Amino acid sequence: MSWIPALAERVKNLKPSPTLAVDAKAKRLKAKGVDIVNLSAGEPDFDTPEHIKEAAIRALRDGFTKYTPVAGIPELKEAVAEKLKRDYGLKYSDSEIMASTGGKQVLYNIAQAILDPGDEVIIPVPYWVSYPAIVELAGGIPRFLQCEADSGFSLDLDALEDMITEKTKALILNSPSNPTGAVYSIQDLKAVGKLATENGFMVITDDIYDEIRFDGNGPDNVASVMPDAKDHCLIVNGVSKTYAMTGWRIGYLAGSEIVVKACTKIQSQSTSNPNSIAQKAAAAALSGPQDCVSIMRDAFLERRDFIVDRLGAIAGVNCVEPKGAFYVFPDVSSYFGSHYGDTLIDGSLALADYLLEKARIACVPGIAFGDDRFIRFSYATDMDTLKEGMDRFEGALKELG
Ligand SMILES: *Cc1c(COP(=O)(O)O)cnc(C)c1O
């Protein structure tokens, strides 16, 4: 018998990101030559725009390859400040901004910086897969606020108010939302701001899809619609989704200097600065020409309209029209209890497995986002793939009895 290393308690219950797992399985099958239609990806299919790549190449040529300040280079922080002013009308100084290795690390740093064991964080359901894990890794307790498709996944403000305790440290908002594509109304954002100031908790506002909106309105968040609540807001954002830069790993935080300082301390003892070259590229993305953003947004909109149309025509599938991001989250629960041969489709996991094994479509089961009635399709892929995916999906559902 070989010796077995003992792991820490905190990692024993930790599950790997389910979305990355589905994507990996789909890619593995594809590599084996299986003809997979992958609608599971959580990233734009576009290449990073050329002028952004050029900035990185220039940085490399100029020898910009050393450690930078932990919280990021001034040039990037200025570009972030400029963006927040341009899109939200919000002013942040250098000491209120920090850059990290993706929006995900920003969220991780925040949780480590503000949560003591037993502190509660309210998370609307359906949620982005990593929120509960990030909270739990910091010793916090996720409190789940159920949101319903009937109301377009808007916040149930009465239920939210009822959930607030002395232990409530923060609420996480993600608008536009992954996985639902929902955008919170200005009225609801204001109501959240009021609850935060009255009850003294922080609003972690994950604005990563802020530029991918189809409702004609600009980016907004609790801080921009309610200036009195700005001190309570921690803005999380990054360049991954807006500029097709998921692999570059640059995200940023804007908020109270106290929290930014604490996050910087944590980052200084964990990963240090984010990649120097990627910081230069991110600065170019934020401060350069923005027409690439609207070109990608228009493409996402065309695909959204297509996929919502197709899903709407399938019996037993109900889908709220997404207002942003690049996902649809149809309710497929009317198919639960049906069979394929001897296999019972008893939930979103079984359906997603069936779709992958039999129809060769990769999607993410809703249970990964805290709601088993749904599955998530990404439409960050070309129209031919989407069309083929919807043909297969419709055909596969017909075979269930
Ligand atoms: C993709 C994503 C992020 C962060 O992505 P990074 O690549 O780490 O910047 C954060 N929140 C949501 C909801 C996302 O979908």
Short mmCIF file of all heavy atoms in Angstrom, two decimals, residues 83 86-88 175-176 181-187 189 207 209-221 224-225 293-294 297-298 301 304 322-325:
data_model
loop_
_atom_site.label_atom_id
_atom_site.label_comp_id
_atom_site.label_asym_id
_atom_site.label_seq_id
_atom_site.Cartn_x
_atom_site.Cartn_y
_atom_site.Cartn_z
N LYS A 83 -13.12 53.87 -17.99
CA LYS A 83 -14.27 53.03 -18.39
C LYS A 83 -15.45 53.21 -17.43
O LYS A 83 -16.60 53.36 -17.84
CB LYS A 83 -13.87 51.55 -18.46
CG LYS A 83 -15.04 50.65 -18.91
CD LYS A 83 -15.29 49.54 -17.94
CE LYS A 83 -16.70 48.99 -17.97
NZ LYS A 83 -17.32 48.56 -19.18
N ARG A 86 -16.97 56.55 -18.02
CA ARG A 86 -17.63 56.58 -19.34
C ARG A 86 -18.96 55.83 -19.31
O ARG A 86 -19.99 56.32 -19.73
CB ARG A 86 -16.66 55.93 -20.33
CG ARG A 86 -17.11 55.75 -21.75
CD ARG A 86 -15.91 55.29 -22.62
NE ARG A 86 -15.60 53.87 -22.47
CZ ARG A 86 -14.37 53.35 -22.41
NH1 ARG A 86 -13.30 54.14 -22.45
NH2 ARG A 86 -14.19 52.06 -22.30
N ASP A 87 -18.95 54.61 -18.77
CA ASP A 87 -20.13 53.74 -18.86
C ASP A 87 -21.08 53.87 -17.67
O ASP A 87 -22.27 53.58 -17.80
CB ASP A 87 -19.69 52.27 -18.95
CG ASP A 87 -19.05 51.96 -20.29
OD1 ASP A 87 -19.19 52.79 -21.21
OD2 ASP A 87 -18.40 50.91 -20.42
N TYR A 88 -20.56 54.26 -16.51
CA TYR A 88 -21.41 54.27 -15.30
C TYR A 88 -21.52 55.67 -14.67
O TYR A 88 -22.28 55.84 -13.72
CB TYR A 88 -20.83 53.32 -14.25
CG TYR A 88 -20.89 51.86 -14.62
CD1 TYR A 88 -19.87 51.27 -15.37
CD2 TYR A 88 -21.94 51.06 -14.21
CE1 TYR A 88 -19.91 49.93 -15.70
CE2 TYR A 88 -21.99 49.71 -14.53
CZ TYR A 88 -20.97 49.15 -15.27
OH TYR A 88 -21.02 47.82 -15.60
N SER A 175 -25.52 40.93 -13.40
CA SER A 175 -26.48 41.45 -14.37
C SER A 175 -25.74 42.14 -15.50
O SER A 175 -25.00 43.09 -15.23
CB SER A 175 -27.40 42.45 -13.65
OG SER A 175 -28.29 43.07 -14.54
N PRO A 176 -25.91 41.68 -16.75
CA PRO A 176 -26.63 40.50 -17.21
C PRO A 176 -26.08 39.22 -16.57
O PRO A 176 -24.91 39.16 -16.24
CB PRO A 176 -26.38 40.48 -18.73
CG PRO A 176 -26.02 41.89 -19.08
CD PRO A 176 -25.33 42.46 -17.88
N GLY A 181 -29.21 35.25 -18.51
CA GLY A 181 -29.25 36.40 -19.41
C GLY A 181 -30.15 37.52 -18.88
O GLY A 181 -30.38 38.51 -19.56
N ALA A 182 -30.65 37.36 -17.65
CA ALA A 182 -31.53 38.38 -17.07
C ALA A 182 -30.74 39.65 -16.76
O ALA A 182 -29.56 39.61 -16.44
CB ALA A 182 -32.17 37.85 -15.79
N VAL A 183 -31.44 40.79 -16.88
CA VAL A 183 -30.88 42.09 -16.50
C VAL A 183 -31.81 42.66 -15.44
O VAL A 183 -33.02 42.72 -15.65
CB VAL A 183 -30.80 43.03 -17.72
CG1 VAL A 183 -30.45 44.45 -17.29
CG2 VAL A 183 -29.78 42.52 -18.73
N TYR A 184 -31.28 43.06 -14.30
CA TYR A 184 -32.14 43.62 -13.25
C TYR A 184 -32.60 45.02 -13.62
O TYR A 184 -31.86 45.79 -14.23
CB TYR A 184 -31.40 43.65 -11.91
CG TYR A 184 -31.02 42.27 -11.40
CD1 TYR A 184 -29.73 41.99 -10.99
CD2 TYR A 184 -31.96 41.24 -11.35
CE1 TYR A 184 -29.38 40.72 -10.53
CE2 TYR A 184 -31.62 39.98 -10.89
CZ TYR A 184 -30.33 39.72 -10.49
OH TYR A 184 -29.99 38.48 -10.04
N SER A 185 -33.82 45.35 -13.23
CA SER A 185 -34.36 46.67 -13.52
C SER A 185 -33.69 47.70 -12.62
O SER A 185 -33.19 47.37 -11.53
CB SER A 185 -35.88 46.69 -13.27
OG SER A 185 -36.13 46.57 -11.88
N ILE A 186 -33.69 48.95 -13.07
CA ILE A 186 -33.11 50.04 -12.30
C ILE A 186 -33.81 50.15 -10.94
O ILE A 186 -33.18 50.36 -9.91
CB ILE A 186 -33.23 51.37 -13.09
CG1 ILE A 186 -32.27 51.31 -14.29
CG2 ILE A 186 -32.94 52.58 -12.21
CD1 ILE A 186 -32.31 52.52 -15.19
N GLN A 187 -35.13 49.93 -10.98
CA GLN A 187 -35.92 49.98 -9.75
C GLN A 187 -35.43 48.93 -8.73
O GLN A 187 -35.28 49.22 -7.55
CB GLN A 187 -37.35 49.65 -10.18
CG GLN A 187 -38.44 50.15 -9.31
CD GLN A 187 -39.78 49.71 -9.91
OE1 GLN A 187 -39.92 49.59 -11.15
NE2 GLN A 187 -40.75 49.45 -9.05
N LEU A 189 -32.44 47.50 -8.69
CA LEU A 189 -31.08 47.84 -8.26
C LEU A 189 -31.13 48.88 -7.15
O LEU A 189 -30.40 48.81 -6.16
CB LEU A 189 -30.25 48.38 -9.44
CG LEU A 189 -29.92 47.38 -10.55
CD1 LEU A 189 -29.16 48.09 -11.69
CD2 LEU A 189 -29.11 46.20 -10.04
N ASP A 207 -20.14 42.58 -12.94
CA ASP A 207 -20.60 43.26 -14.15
C ASP A 207 -19.89 42.75 -15.41
O ASP A 207 -19.78 43.47 -16.40
CB ASP A 207 -20.37 44.78 -14.02
CG ASP A 207 -21.07 45.38 -12.82
OD1 ASP A 207 -22.05 44.78 -12.34
OD2 ASP A 207 -20.66 46.46 -12.36
N TYR A 209 -20.59 40.94 -17.85
CA TYR A 209 -21.30 40.98 -19.15
C TYR A 209 -21.92 42.35 -19.43
O TYR A 209 -22.85 42.47 -20.24
CB TYR A 209 -22.40 39.91 -19.19
CG TYR A 209 -21.85 38.50 -19.12
CD1 TYR A 209 -21.87 37.79 -17.93
CD2 TYR A 209 -21.29 37.90 -20.24
CE1 TYR A 209 -21.34 36.51 -17.85
CE2 TYR A 209 -20.76 36.63 -20.18
CZ TYR A 209 -20.78 35.93 -18.98
OH TYR A 209 -20.25 34.67 -18.92
N ASP A 210 -21.42 43.39 -18.77
CA ASP A 210 -22.11 44.70 -18.84
C ASP A 210 -22.24 45.27 -20.25
O ASP A 210 -23.17 46.02 -20.53
CB ASP A 210 -21.47 45.72 -17.88
CG ASP A 210 -20.04 46.09 -18.26
OD1 ASP A 210 -19.43 45.40 -19.10
OD2 ASP A 210 -19.52 47.08 -17.70
N GLU A 211 -21.32 44.92 -21.13
CA GLU A 211 -21.36 45.47 -22.49
C GLU A 211 -22.14 44.60 -23.45
O GLU A 211 -22.35 44.95 -24.60
CB GLU A 211 -19.94 45.65 -23.03
CG GLU A 211 -19.07 46.49 -22.13
CD GLU A 211 -18.81 47.87 -22.69
OE1 GLU A 211 -19.65 48.36 -23.48
OE2 GLU A 211 -17.78 48.43 -22.34
N ILE A 212 -22.52 43.39 -22.98
CA ILE A 212 -23.26 42.49 -23.87
C ILE A 212 -24.73 42.53 -23.45
O ILE A 212 -25.23 41.65 -22.77
CB ILE A 212 -22.67 41.06 -23.83
CG1 ILE A 212 -21.15 41.11 -24.05
CG2 ILE A 212 -23.33 40.18 -24.90
CD1 ILE A 212 -20.45 39.78 -23.92
N ARG A 213 -25.38 43.63 -23.82
CA ARG A 213 -26.79 43.84 -23.49
C ARG A 213 -27.55 44.13 -24.75
O ARG A 213 -27.05 44.83 -25.63
CB ARG A 213 -26.92 45.03 -22.52
CG ARG A 213 -26.83 44.62 -21.07
CD ARG A 213 -26.86 45.82 -20.18
NE ARG A 213 -28.22 46.35 -20.03
CZ ARG A 213 -28.59 47.06 -18.97
NH1 ARG A 213 -27.74 47.32 -17.99
NH2 ARG A 213 -29.82 47.52 -18.88
N PHE A 214 -28.79 43.64 -24.81
CA PHE A 214 -29.60 43.79 -26.01
C PHE A 214 -30.83 44.67 -25.78
O PHE A 214 -31.71 44.74 -26.63
CB PHE A 214 -30.07 42.41 -26.51
CG PHE A 214 -28.98 41.38 -26.51
CD1 PHE A 214 -29.13 40.19 -25.81
CD2 PHE A 214 -27.80 41.59 -27.22
CE1 PHE A 214 -28.13 39.23 -25.81
CE2 PHE A 214 -26.79 40.64 -27.23
CZ PHE A 214 -26.96 39.46 -26.52
N ASP A 215 -30.91 45.26 -24.60
CA ASP A 215 -32.13 46.02 -24.28
C ASP A 215 -31.96 47.51 -24.60
O ASP A 215 -32.82 48.32 -24.27
CB ASP A 215 -32.51 45.83 -22.81
CG ASP A 215 -31.39 46.24 -21.85
OD1 ASP A 215 -30.30 46.60 -22.33
OD2 ASP A 215 -31.62 46.21 -20.64
N GLY A 216 -30.84 47.84 -25.25
CA GLY A 216 -30.65 49.22 -25.66
C GLY A 216 -30.18 50.14 -24.54
O GLY A 216 -29.88 51.30 -24.77
N ASN A 217 -30.10 49.62 -23.33
CA ASN A 217 -29.64 50.44 -22.22
C ASN A 217 -28.16 50.20 -21.98
O ASN A 217 -27.63 49.13 -22.27
CB ASN A 217 -30.43 50.13 -20.96
CG ASN A 217 -31.88 50.52 -21.12
OD1 ASN A 217 -32.18 51.56 -21.69
ND2 ASN A 217 -32.78 49.67 -20.66
N GLY A 218 -27.53 51.21 -21.43
CA GLY A 218 -26.10 51.10 -21.17
C GLY A 218 -25.84 50.29 -19.92
O GLY A 218 -26.78 49.87 -19.24
N PRO A 219 -24.57 50.04 -19.59
CA PRO A 219 -24.26 49.34 -18.35
C PRO A 219 -24.79 50.11 -17.14
O PRO A 219 -24.79 51.35 -17.14
CB PRO A 219 -22.73 49.34 -18.33
CG PRO A 219 -22.31 49.48 -19.74
CD PRO A 219 -23.36 50.34 -20.37
N ASP A 220 -25.30 49.39 -16.16
CA ASP A 220 -25.64 50.02 -14.89
C ASP A 220 -25.43 49.02 -13.76
O ASP A 220 -25.28 47.82 -14.00
CB ASP A 220 -27.07 50.58 -14.90
CG ASP A 220 -28.12 49.55 -15.29
OD1 ASP A 220 -27.83 48.34 -15.21
OD2 ASP A 220 -29.23 49.95 -15.69
N ASN A 221 -25.36 49.53 -12.55
CA ASN A 221 -25.27 48.67 -11.37
C ASN A 221 -25.78 49.46 -10.17
O ASN A 221 -26.21 50.62 -10.34
CB ASN A 221 -23.84 48.14 -11.17
CG ASN A 221 -22.81 49.25 -10.99
OD1 ASN A 221 -23.14 50.36 -10.55
ND2 ASN A 221 -21.55 48.95 -11.32
N SER A 224 -24.22 52.91 -9.75
CA SER A 224 -24.52 53.94 -10.75
C SER A 224 -25.95 54.45 -10.63
O SER A 224 -26.22 55.60 -10.93
CB SER A 224 -24.25 53.43 -12.17
OG SER A 224 -25.21 52.50 -12.59
N VAL A 225 -26.88 53.60 -10.18
CA VAL A 225 -28.27 54.07 -10.07
C VAL A 225 -28.56 54.65 -8.70
O VAL A 225 -29.58 55.32 -8.51
CB VAL A 225 -29.31 52.95 -10.38
CG1 VAL A 225 -29.08 52.38 -11.77
CG2 VAL A 225 -29.30 51.85 -9.34
N VAL A 293 -16.49 45.86 -29.88
CA VAL A 293 -17.49 45.45 -28.88
C VAL A 293 -18.88 45.41 -29.50
O VAL A 293 -19.63 44.44 -29.32
CB VAL A 293 -17.46 46.39 -27.66
CG1 VAL A 293 -18.54 46.01 -26.65
CG2 VAL A 293 -16.09 46.37 -27.00
N SER A 294 -19.22 46.45 -30.27
CA SER A 294 -20.57 46.46 -30.84
C SER A 294 -20.71 45.43 -31.97
O SER A 294 -21.79 44.88 -32.18
CB SER A 294 -20.99 47.86 -31.29
OG SER A 294 -19.97 48.47 -32.01
N ARG A 297 -21.38 42.28 -30.14
CA ARG A 297 -22.72 42.34 -29.54
C ARG A 297 -23.79 42.07 -30.60
O ARG A 297 -24.73 41.30 -30.37
CB ARG A 297 -22.94 43.71 -28.90
CG ARG A 297 -24.28 43.82 -28.17
CD ARG A 297 -24.64 45.26 -27.86
NE ARG A 297 -23.62 45.92 -27.07
CZ ARG A 297 -22.95 47.02 -27.45
NH1 ARG A 297 -23.21 47.59 -28.61
NH2 ARG A 297 -22.03 47.55 -26.67
N ASP A 298 -23.62 42.68 -31.77
CA ASP A 298 -24.60 42.48 -32.85
C ASP A 298 -24.67 41.01 -33.26
O ASP A 298 -25.75 40.47 -33.51
CB ASP A 298 -24.25 43.34 -34.07
CG ASP A 298 -24.49 44.82 -33.80
OD1 ASP A 298 -25.12 45.15 -32.77
OD2 ASP A 298 -24.03 45.65 -34.61
N LEU A 301 -26.55 39.10 -30.66
CA LEU A 301 -27.99 39.39 -30.73
C LEU A 301 -28.67 38.57 -31.83
O LEU A 301 -29.74 37.98 -31.62
CB LEU A 301 -28.22 40.90 -30.97
CG LEU A 301 -29.66 41.34 -31.19
CD1 LEU A 301 -30.54 40.96 -30.01
CD2 LEU A 301 -29.72 42.86 -31.42
N ARG A 304 -28.92 35.12 -30.56
CA ARG A 304 -29.94 35.00 -29.51
C ARG A 304 -31.32 34.88 -30.13
O ARG A 304 -32.11 34.01 -29.76
CB ARG A 304 -29.92 36.22 -28.59
CG ARG A 304 -30.97 36.09 -27.48
CD ARG A 304 -31.44 37.41 -26.94
NE ARG A 304 -32.22 38.19 -27.90
CZ ARG A 304 -32.89 39.29 -27.59
NH1 ARG A 304 -32.89 39.73 -26.36
NH2 ARG A 304 -33.57 39.95 -28.51
N PRO A 322 -33.32 36.07 -23.14
CA PRO A 322 -32.21 36.72 -22.45
C PRO A 322 -32.05 38.18 -22.89
O PRO A 322 -32.24 38.49 -24.06
CB PRO A 322 -30.98 35.91 -22.89
CG PRO A 322 -31.51 34.69 -23.56
CD PRO A 322 -32.85 35.03 -24.07
N LYS A 323 -31.72 39.04 -21.94
CA LYS A 323 -31.53 40.46 -22.24
C LYS A 323 -30.05 40.82 -22.38
O LYS A 323 -29.71 41.97 -22.67
CB LYS A 323 -32.13 41.31 -21.12
CG LYS A 323 -33.60 41.06 -20.88
CD LYS A 323 -34.45 42.00 -21.71
CE LYS A 323 -35.93 41.85 -21.43
NZ LYS A 323 -36.44 40.51 -21.78
N GLY A 324 -29.20 39.84 -22.10
CA GLY A 324 -27.77 40.09 -22.20
C GLY A 324 -26.98 38.82 -22.06
O GLY A 324 -27.55 37.73 -21.98
N ALA A 325 -25.63 38.94 -22.04
CA ALA A 325 -24.70 37.82 -22.00
C ALA A 325 -24.88 36.94 -23.25
O ALA A 325 -25.45 37.41 -24.24
CB ALA A 325 -24.83 37.01 -20.71
#
